[in-house]
Structure formats: structure tokens, C-alpha cells
Amino acid sequence: MSEKSLKKQVISGLAWRGSADILQQVLQIVFTIILARLLSRADFGLVAMALIVNRFVKALTSIGFGAAIIQSQEITKGQTSAIFYIQLALNTVLTTIVFFGAGLAAAFFGEVELVPIIRVLAFVIFLQTFQFPNIILRKRMDFKSFSLAEISSMILANIIAVIMALYGFGVWSLVWRLIIQRILFGALSFYYGKWLPSKPEFKGIGPLFNFGLNMLGAHIVYFFAENMIGLLTGRFLGKEVMGLFNIAYNLAIVPATKIQSVLTNVLTPGFSKLQYQVEKFRTNYTRALNLTSLLFLPFMVMLMAISKNLIPTFYGDKWSEAGNFLLILAVVGLLRGLSHILRSAIIAKGKSRIIFVSTIVEVVCSLPIMYFLMQDFRIYGLISGYLMGAVFGWIYTSFQYDKILQQKHAALSAIKEAIFIALCIFIPVYSVNYLNINSTVGLIIQLVFGSLIFIFILRYMKQELFRQLLSKVKIKRNK
């Protein structure tokens, strides 16, 4: 594939995945706001606890086969099918374990109501197997089909969940939302992927296992890095606090996860083709990091600044305390998102062991702080420890990224403009919180103020980028 053709595919992929994830995130927030007004904090807390069990099992099954298939340029159809059957067997076994181990998980959290919820959600693990054709779509860089499958299934599942909530199904509205979404996503994955497993070929998949096992270690450790705060909150602070935390967590951390999804799905297959061309890899990835950070950092900083007005305005007064959680968690989301951007370059280079070590650094640095601060500061102590883990994770990942690109301070150099813009937005927008005005009015002022500052600075700092964006908007209007 020529560099020009590759660049075109990468740009198209980023456009599709970026647009799809923004749309999906906006719609998911809208549906969650509706459900938050219909359901209780305890309902959200119970499902959040059950999902921690699923995330742990997902970490056990995420051997990194998807990344290995995408990264490898020599894998055969038979080897791909062999990996599918291995994943199917693993997910079947682990679904069974979760189903029959639901009582133990419920006892850990001290919530008997969790048993049936965990048992039903156990089937989400099995259903994830049938999303396998998405790996093929990503390797082909067919992100249009991938995005359509994801968005369609999300919208339909949420509509059904809202109807169920209106008819009094309570917590089961949230449970069946997940089940229905997985069923629809799996069916659409096979439809768009036009792929069926063939006769498995196990010979020669050893290197894929080596790559995948490092990713497995990373996923298991990353589970604790990401979910230890949820485990401790659910275990010691109860379902009400867990519900509040879950709302803030999804607003702050999910955008970072989406950044990881977009860049890993798009840049990894694209840049894997350039992994042996150091100069081209460095130049193109630095540009990608710079442009992504110009949007991501200001967005996350804006979220921090408006957090106290955002939650009561949209979710209602019963969720107001989640605004305080969101302020700190947005910093975690920002650092996580930046780390994920760097990690996609590391994966594209085939250095999965670095990902494994970076997640260990996060856990080792955050867990002791969380444990000691929780005793005096409860949820705020946990969030503070969570933040420190993200800080050390970013430092280690950026150091390794610099080594891979063979350039000092490569990560910081690429995002320094975005950091400046983010600071210029945060200080004046956050200051609006001290005006002591109605939360809805304050939020409107903050959004208008922050948007104007961003546009003004972007226009004068990145004139070429601003003109390109403006020209694209004009073209769309003319059409």
C-alpha cells in the first residue's frame, strides 16, 4: 500500500470513528440522563457493581488476540479462525464461572440483590465472542461498517431500556440494555463483516500468543488500575455512593476510553505498516498526536470546569454530589486519554510488554494511596489515589513513547499547544462557578465563554488548521 493511500485510509478511519464515537457518546449521555431521572441512584449502583465482575472476566479473556491479528501482516484465514474458536471456548467457560459464582460476588459487595443481576449479565461475556468480525473490519480499515453496527445497536438498546424504565422495570432496564446491545452488535458485526469461521489452523500461531499474552497481562493489571476504585467504593461505601460515582465515572473516563478505541482501532492497523520506517512513523504519529490533543485536552478541561453545573442541570439535584467527583475524575480521564494515545503507537510497534508494565506502575502507585486516604476522606480519598496512579502511568508511558520515537520529550512537544489552550479555557470558565448563580444559567455562560475562547485561540495559534476546518464547514453548508 502506498503512503498516500495509507494516509487516506487513516484520515477516513479517524473521521468515521471520531464522528461515530462523538455521536455515540452524546446519545449515550442523553439516554443516561433520561434513565437517571426515571431510576434511582441504587439502581445505577447495583448495575455498576455487577459490571465490575464482568470487566474482570473480560480482562481474563482479552488475551490481545484482536491487536495481534491487526498488528500481524502474515496471519492466515485458518489462523484467524483458530483464534475465534479459542476465544469462544474461553468465553463459554468464563460465562459459566460467573453465573455460578454470582453468590460469592454478591457477598463481596454485601448486596443480595446482585445475584440475579450478575447471572443475567454473565451472558454478556459469551455474546462478546460474536463481535469477532469487528477485528476483520478494523484490519481492513472498514470503519464505516464498524461504526454503523455500533451506533445502531446502541440506539435500539437504549430506546428499549427507556421504554422498560417507563413501565416500571427498574434496575432491569439497565441490565437488558446491555444484553440487547450485545446481541444486536454481534448480529450486525457478522452482517457487515461478511466473515464466517473456517477450518482452524493452529500451526504458526505461537508468535500471536506471545504478543497476546503480554496484552493479557496488561488487561488484567489494567482492570485493577481502572476498577479498584469501583471495587472499594462498592464494597465499603455502598450502592448509593456507587451510583453517584458511576455517573461521574462514565462522563469523565468513557471519553478517554473512546479516544483509546478510536486511535487503537484506526492508527494501529495503519501505523503497523510503517513500524520499520522510523522517520515516517515518528513524523506521522507526532502529527496525529498533536491534532488529536488539540481537541481532546480542551474538551476534558472544559468538562472539569463545568462539572459542578453540568450534573444538577441535566441529571437533577439528587445527583449533585457527582459534580464534585467529576471535577477530579476528569483530570484522570485527561491523563488516561493521553496515555491511550501514546499506547496506540506502542502497540503499532509491537511493544505490548510496555503496556503491561505501564499498567503495573498505575496499580502500584495508586492502590496504597487509595487505601490510606479512604479511611479519612472516603470517596474523595479513593478518587485522589486514583488520580495519582494516572499521573505516574502517564509519566512512564510518555518516557517509553519518547524512546520508541527516538526523540527526547516527543510526547510533551506534541501536546504543548493543546496544554496552553486548555489552561486558557479552564481558568476563566471555572471562575464562573464563583458567581453564585443558577446552575443552568451558569452552565450556559460557561459553554458559550469556553467555546469562544477555544475558537479565538485556535484561529490565531493554528491558522492553517482553522482555515481547513472552516472551509469544510462552508463546503457542507453549500451542499
Side-chain angles (χ1 to χ4, degrees):
M1 183 184 295
S2 67
E3 184 179 351
K4 186 177 180 180
S5 176
L6 177 62
K7 181 180 179 182
K8 186 178 179 180
Q9 278 193 304
V10 169
I11 292 172
S12 174
L14 284 172
W16 263 106
R17 288 308 299 152
S19 302
D21 277 336
I22 290 171
L23 176 61
Q24 187 179 9
Q25 183 66 16
V26 170
L27 290 173
Q28 191 67 56
I29 289 171
V30 170
F31 281 120
T32 302
I33 289 170
I34 296 170
L35 290 167
R37 289 182 174 273
L38 295 171
L39 304 173
S40 69
R41 295 189 297 190
D43 290 335
F44 277 85
L46 286 169
V47 171
M49 291 176 190
L51 284 177
I52 288 177
V53 178
N54 270 26
R55 288 190 195 115
F56 177 62
V57 175
K58 184 179 178 182
L60 292 178
T61 60
S62 298
I63 302 182
F65 285 144
I69 290 171
I70 292 168
Q71 196 270 339
S72 174
Q73 302 301 305
E74 296 85 25
I75 190 170
T76 66
K77 291 182 179 179
Q79 290 171 335
T80 302
S81 295
I83 289 173
F84 169 78
Y85 289 120
I86 292 170
Q87 195 71 65
L88 175 61
L90 279 172
N91 286 356
T92 301
V93 170
L94 288 166
T95 297
T96 305
I97 291 172
V98 172
F99 184 88
F100 289 105
L104 293 174
F108 172 82
F109 287 110
E111 296 288 347
V112 179
E113 299 168 86
L114 274 176
V115 175
I117 296 172
I118 292 173
R119 283 181 175 165
V120 173
L121 287 178
F123 290 97
V124 169
I125 302 161
F126 177 74
L127 292 170
Q128 284 173 343
T129 311
F130 302 99
Q131 296 171 24
F132 191 86
N134 286 327
I135 299 171
I136 311 301
L137 289 172
R138 284 155 50 196
K139 190 173 180 70
R140 294 176 194 159
M141 301 191 77
D142 182 4
F143 297 104
K144 178 180 178 180
S145 298
F146 181 91
S147 301
L148 289 173
E150 192 174 44
I151 292 173
S152 300
S153 57
M154 184 274 291
I155 292 173
L156 288 171
N158 274 284
I159 290 172
I160 293 170
V162 170
I163 294 170
M164 290 180 71
L166 286 168
Y167 278 89
F169 282 87
V171 69
W172 292 101
S173 308
L174 301 174
V175 173
W176 284 103
R177 174 175 69 167
L178 293 164
I179 296 291
I180 293 167
Q181 185 171 356
R182 296 301 181 187
I183 292 172
L184 293 172
F185 194 23
L188 289 171
S189 296
F190 274 96
Y191 173 76
Y192 285 115
K194 302 187 187 309
W195 177 89
L196 290 173
S198 59
K199 183 180 178 180
E201 180 187 338
F202 294 95
K203 185 179 179 181
I205 63 173
L208 298 173
F209 262 101
N210 291 333
F211 183 95
L213 286 173
N214 277 322
M215 293 301 293
L216 170 63
H219 287 139
I220 293 174
V221 179
Y222 189 71
F223 164 81
F224 289 104
E226 190 174 60
N227 295 286
M228 184 56 68
I229 185 169
L231 283 167
L232 294 173
T233 301
R235 176 71 177 84
F236 295 106
L237 303 181
K239 59 188 177 184
E240 291 278 336
V241 177
M242 186 68 177
L244 286 166
F245 171 79
N246 187 57
I247 289 292
Y249 178 92
N250 285 332
L251 284 172
I253 308 300
V254 169
T257 305
K258 290 296 180 182
I259 283 289
Q260 178 196 30
S261 175
V262 171
L263 294 177
T264 301
N265 290 343
V266 178
L267 298 184
T268 299
F271 283 96
S272 289
K273 304 178 194 303
L274 300 176
Q275 58 186 294
Y276 303 115
Q277 303 175 47
V278 177
E279 188 59 39
K280 286 183 179 179
F281 188 94
R282 177 169 55 233
T283 302
N284 286 284
Y285 210 94
T286 299
R287 187 181 297 119
L289 174 58
N290 176 259
L291 291 175
T292 306
S293 64
L294 283 171
L295 296 175
F296 178 67
L297 262 73
F299 171 79
M300 292 305 296
V301 164
M302 189 72 172
L303 185 61
M304 292 162 54
I306 67 174
S307 58
K308 291 187 177 181
N309 289 324
L310 176 70
I311 296 293
T313 297
F314 287 105
Y315 291 83
D317 290 335
K318 67 180 178 182
W319 299 96
S320 293
E321 194 177 357
N324 297 326
F325 303 167
L326 179 57
L327 176 62
I328 307 172
L329 286 172
V331 185
V332 179
L334 188 154
L335 293 168
R336 283 276 176 85
L338 289 175
S339 295
H340 291 327
I341 296 171
L342 305 186
R343 286 180 179 190
S344 60
I346 294 168
I347 293 172
K349 278 284 192 176
K351 305 289 185 181
S352 57
R353 183 175 176 80
I354 293 174
I355 308 299
F356 176 54
V357 176
S358 69
T359 52
I360 291 177
V361 170
E362 278 198 45
V363 173
V364 169
C365 293
S366 65
L367 189 55
I369 300 172
M370 289 166 65
Y371 176 77
F372 288 112
L373 291 182
M374 178 185 69
Q375 299 178 45
D376 293 324
F377 302 100
R378 295 175 65 76
I379 185 64
Y380 293 102
L382 289 176
I383 295 175
S384 299
Y386 194 47
L387 171 61
M388 293 309 299
V391 169
F392 286 108
W394 154 256
I395 292 171
Y396 176 81
T397 306
S398 61
F399 172 74
Q400 294 297 333
Y401 174 84
D402 293 350
K403 287 178 65 176
I404 282 177
L405 264 64
Q406 299 178 22
Q407 179 181 336
K408 288 185 177 180
H409 311 302
L412 282 175
S413 297
I415 65 171
K416 62 184 179 183
E417 292 174 323
I419 293 173
F420 174 76
I421 294 173
L423 287 173
C424 289
I425 291 172
F426 179 78
I427 294 171
V429 173
Y430 186 77
S431 299
V432 174
N433 291 316
Y434 295 101
L435 296 179
N436 196 28
I437 54 180
N438 177 271
S439 60
T440 303
V441 175
L443 180 62
I444 293 170
I445 293 171
Q446 287 176 316
L447 290 173
V448 172
F449 202 17
S451 299
L452 290 174
I453 293 170
F454 176 71
I455 293 170
F456 178 81
I457 296 176
L458 192 67
R459 179 180 178 182
Y460 289 98
M461 277 189 64
K462 304 290 288 186
Q463 292 182 12
E464 184 179 349
L465 175 62
F466 184 80
R467 282 196 297 269
Q468 289 176 354
L469 292 173
L470 199 62
S471 64
K472 288 181 180 179
V473 170
K474 286 180 179 178
I475 290 171
K476 287 182 179 180
R477 282 182 177 177
N478 292 332
K479 287 181 179 180

